[in-house]
Amino acid sequence: MDFDLSDDQKMLVKTVSDFGKKESTVERFRKLRDDAEGIGWDRATWKKMGELGWLSIPFPEEAGGLGGSFVDAALILEQLGKTLVPEPYLASVVLGGHALWLGGSAEQHEQLLQPMMEGDTTLALAYAEPGIRFDPRCCATTAKREGDGWRLEGEKAFVQNGHAADHLVIAAMSDEGMQLFVVDGADVKRRTTKHIDGHRGAHVDLAGVVVPESRRLVARPATEVLERVLDFGAAATVAEGLGVAFSMLWMTVEYLKTREQFDVKIGTFQALQHRAVEMFVEVELLKSINVESMIRASEEGPERPAAISAAKLQLAQGGQLVSRQAIQLHGGVGVTDEHDVGLYFKRMHALVTLCGDEAAHVARYAES
Amino acid sequence: MDLSFSAEDEAFRTEVRTWIADNMPPHLAAKAEAAGHFEMPEIMEWHRLLYSKGWVAPHWPKEFGGPGLSATQRFILSEEQELAGAPPLSPFGLVMVAPLIMRFGTDEQKQRFLPKILSGEEVWCQGYSEPGAGSDLASLRTSAVLDGDHFVLNGQKTWTTYAQYADWIFCLVRTSAEGKKQQGISFLLIDMKTPGVEVKPMQTLGHTPAFCDTFFENARVPKENLLGPLNGGWSLAKALLGHERTLVAAVGQTRRTLRLARRIAEHQRGADGKPLIEAPHWREKLARLEMRLRAHQMTNYRALVEQQKGHHPGPESSILKLVGSILVQEADELCMELMGEASLSWHDEGAVAPFEQWVGPAFCYDRATTIYAGSNEIQKNIIAKLILGLPSS
Ligand SMILES: Cc1cc2nc3c(=O)[nH]c(=O)nc-3n(C[C@H](O)[C@H](O)[C@H](O)COP(=O)(O)OP(=O)(O)OC[C@H]3O[C@@H](n4cnc5c(N)ncnc54)[C@H](O)[C@@H]3O)c2cc1C
């Protein structure tokens, strides 16, 4: 076993971390969040991420990528999580991007994946549906052959980056089983939704949308693609969640060292020291299982879902212990919108929920 | 031992239930039905309706306009309101400052303040906490210096809930720097319209403007607004704490949230297309919380019976605060889990069912329940010291 990063990976981590510290602090996220007219993130920053290779790094060279792996994407996400960088890395690179890569043809890679990797477009994956719990195998949206194309029917809900994405990958059920299609954002009825973590998404109404056959993803069976992509997605929520939890832990430790009550630093109270230790231990467990989940995310076979579901459980239990205690130990100031700790708390909830929540992953693990 | 309510109590319950059904205005009833969030003007509207029925201050003695209900009936009254989803009344006047005015106030103060608290004509807020004085309240620094017939106030209070709607604020202020910190504190009643008082609302984690910073700059407060003895404010504050903690047992709130959870579980479907409530996993999660709540509720009943015998709430009330605040949070968390991806929705009408609208903001705001009214860590310190008799470090 070897848990060391390569020199290239160390460089990558440092670059992304510096970017967070210097160019994309929580303050930037807050401004973008509070701009009611905006999309919640910034296209110029996205373009820059493309130029730095962050958007193409996990994809193989045949698909136009830099030939890294999912581990590189996870390393990036962990750093982005530390300062709540709002650009849609998870939605576009991990979900939309991996669906196109695994499901798409060389031509589709060139037309739809390439511009995203360069930072010119963004993607989204529409899997969740209103009122139905997460399950990659389940889908009420339908696709029927019509002429040379397919007619879609149904609704997708809380599509991450769905409001801004140039292209959306849509899961739909046909007579021949699950299918994946790529539609242009401009061609669907979408309503921007506001999310708890200050991000935005879309409610997508597919009624009457007709997609040409050339926009169907057929390189692999759609169920297989979707299952693998949602596992990449789940592993991505864990990687980003690690960054989020890390920041909250150290922000809280710092607060315990500075806040005074009863004429002493509150960090001198043993009850609070123990609480901080519990937070620390949970972050360490999360760090460990994140290693397994980000490596196994690219594997085939039963160890992949097992590791990823275990990581999601740790995020739900450990990550949320951290986010809840972080608020608690900040006292009243933790319950204001003004303090950053609450922004992290909310992002943690979103990450726990996306790509299968605790219940979904425990059930999958138990049944396998 | 007897677990049953008397026939009289049951009749009272029916009377309350019927009155609420007949008298809650449609716009409040619609919000109650949708498990919505009430802002202060709606809360005061309900206050005035209850006042007209004589039920707004069930715990007040008859001589000050209370209805003379038994402790059990008082409990029934508040439980029925919470179950109906009625706006939760603002406690600052009715539950907090009024009992202190009754106990420590002069006759003039009683006549001046109590009737308007009862009628809802004057709204109150609580000015205890300061940026540097939270758990360690006694270290507060807002100063009140006597100058002729007035105290001159300078300093800052913070987390003052709904100060932007308040006509009056009751404050703990420093009137002496001598002796122990607790000894130089006085209890003042302050008109919010006094020049030099400024209120700045803040957003909470639930994105509601529920609390404020309140500033005092050379604000002149008449001497007659001192409640209790000069430099004797700390004992007034302590007398209030027990009351505040029984308030946060929040049995009704948790019961209501669990009913909401059941409703969400009937509405949200699993991947098999069936409502979640049909799945053992979710039914059992809901059951667990309902079962814990029963133990909490019985603890609350025990405290109520003690109060009925005339005992003031003692350190045991810390148990109610400790357990009640956590149950509120766990019920919120269950609602969020049941909603799955829909729990991402945030102040976004139409994205989820109407009764699911406020689940996210409540989940966020209610992180405060373990912090306010004496944080849970402080409650544990109290239990350790005053009930278990453990030595202090
Ligand atoms: C939503 C909300 C509404 C509020 N409304 C009002 C209001 O209307 N009026 C008002 O006056 N105040 C109000 N408060 C303030 C509230 O009473 C304080 O937030 C509370 O007393 C804690 O103080 P603090 O925020 O300064 O936290 P701190 O006292 O700084 O505490 C920080 C952390 O340290 C812990 N801690 C502190 N001392 C100890 C110890 N000795 N041992 C172990 N742990 C300890 C605390 O439990 C907490 O986890 C409100 C607060 C909130 C969140």
Side-chain angles (χ1 to χ4, degrees), chain A residues 31 37 43 49 52 91 101 115 133 175 198 278-279 362 366:
Chain A
K31 277 208 192 91
E37 307 299 307
R43 292 192 200 278
M49 289 179 169
L52 288 166
W101 163 44
R133 281 192 85 75
D175 292 343
E278 283 163 22
M279 293 167 72
V362 171

Side-chain angles (χ1 to χ4, degrees), chain A residues 277-287 314 317-319 321-322:
Chain A
V277 170
E278 283 163 22
M279 293 167 72
F280 171 73
V281 168
E282 293 302 336
V283 172
E284 285 301 308
L285 289 175
L286 189 57
K287 200 184 271 181
Q314 177 57 24
Q317 299 265 314
L321 179 137
V322 172

Side-chain angles (χ1 to χ4, degrees), chain A residues 178-233:
Chain A
M178 177 86 81
Q179 306 287 351
L180 290 171
F181 301 94
V182 185
V183 301
D184 289 359
D187 289 346
V188 292
K189 262 189 274 165
R190 50 181 171 178
R191 186 180 86 83
T192 299
T193 50
K194 292 193 289 175
H195 300 179
I196 188 167
D197 54 354
H199 288 229
R200 271 151 245 194
H203 192 104
V204 181
D205 183 355
L206 295 161
V209 172
V210 179
V211 201
E213 173 66 16
S214 63
R215 284 293 186 87
R216 190 157 69 102
L217 302 181
V218 293
R220 284 187 179 79
T223 27
E224 183 195 322
V225 173
L226 202 57
E227 217 158 299
R228 288 191 56 184
V229 168
L230 287 167
D231 265 355
F232 280 123

Side-chain angles (χ1 to χ4, degrees), chain A residues 255 259 261-262 266 269 271-272 328-333 335, chain B residues 92 126-131 133-136 158-161 211 365 368 371-378 381:
Chain A
Y255 194 71
R259 170 72 171 165
Q261 287 288 275
F262 305 99
I266 58 173
F269 300 129
L272 302 193
Q328 181 68 20
L329 299 192
H330 276 80
V333 78
V335 192
Chain B
F92 303 112
Q126 176 188 27
Y128 279 17
S129 308
E130 297 180 5
S135 299
D136 180 17
T158 191
W159 322 127
T160 25
T161 298
F211 52 31
Y365 176 77
I371 295 169
Y372 59 46
S375 77
N376 283 23
E377 287 74 21
I378 295 298
N381 289 350

Side-chain angles (χ1 to χ4, degrees), chain A residues 33-34 127-135 138 157-158 160 191-198 203 259-263 271-272 275 320 323-325 327-339 341-343 345-346 349-351 353-359, chain B residues 130-137 139 159 181 202-207 211 267-273 276 281-282 285 329 333 336-352 360-361 363-368 370-371 375-378 380-381:
Chain A
R33 179 195 74 155
D34 292 344
Y127 65 88
E129 299 187 353
I132 304 182
R133 281 192 85 75
F134 173 84
D135 184 339
C138 154
F158 303 104
Q160 301 295 304
R191 186 180 86 83
T192 299
T193 50
K194 292 193 289 175
H195 300 179
I196 188 167
D197 54 354
H203 192 104
R259 170 72 171 165
E260 287 184 16
Q261 287 288 275
F262 305 99
D263 301 318
L272 302 193
R275 206 75 59 78
Q320 289 197 117
S323 67
R324 289 165 186 172
Q325 289 307 327
I327 303 265
Q328 181 68 20
L329 299 192
H330 276 80
V333 78
V335 192
T336 60
D337 182 65
E338 225 165 291
H339 198 285
V341 71
L343 303 180
F345 169 86
K346 290 172 174 174
H349 172 77
L351 292 170
T353 304
L354 290 170
C355 300
D357 62 0
E358 178 177 341
Chain B
E130 297 180 5
S135 299
D136 180 17
L137 188 56
S139 68
W159 322 127
K181 286 194 274 191
M202 273 184 276
Q203 293 288 351
T204 67
L205 211 54
H207 208 72
F211 52 31
H267 167 72
Q268 294 284 342
R269 285 164 297 140
D272 58 4
L276 298 185
H281 170 76
W282 294 109
K285 276 199 113 155
Q329 294 179 345
E333 286 157 18
M336 291 294 272
E337 277 188 70
L338 284 164
M339 282 174 69
E341 248 109 14
S343 72
L344 297 176
S345 180
W346 188 248
H347 291 276
D348 191 356
E349 243 168 80
V352 290
F363 161 77
C364 291
Y365 176 77
D366 287 342
R367 297 321 300 178
T370 46
I371 295 169
S375 77
N376 283 23
E377 287 74 21
I378 295 298
K380 286 181 185 169
N381 289 350

Side-chain angles (χ1 to χ4, degrees), chain B residues 25 28 70 112 162 176 205 244 249 256 264 286 357:
Chain B
L28 296 187
S70 71
R112 163 66 189 83
Y162 286 130
S176 165
L205 211 54
E244 202 178 335
R256 210 167 71 200
I264 295 168
L286 189 58
Q357 289 281 342

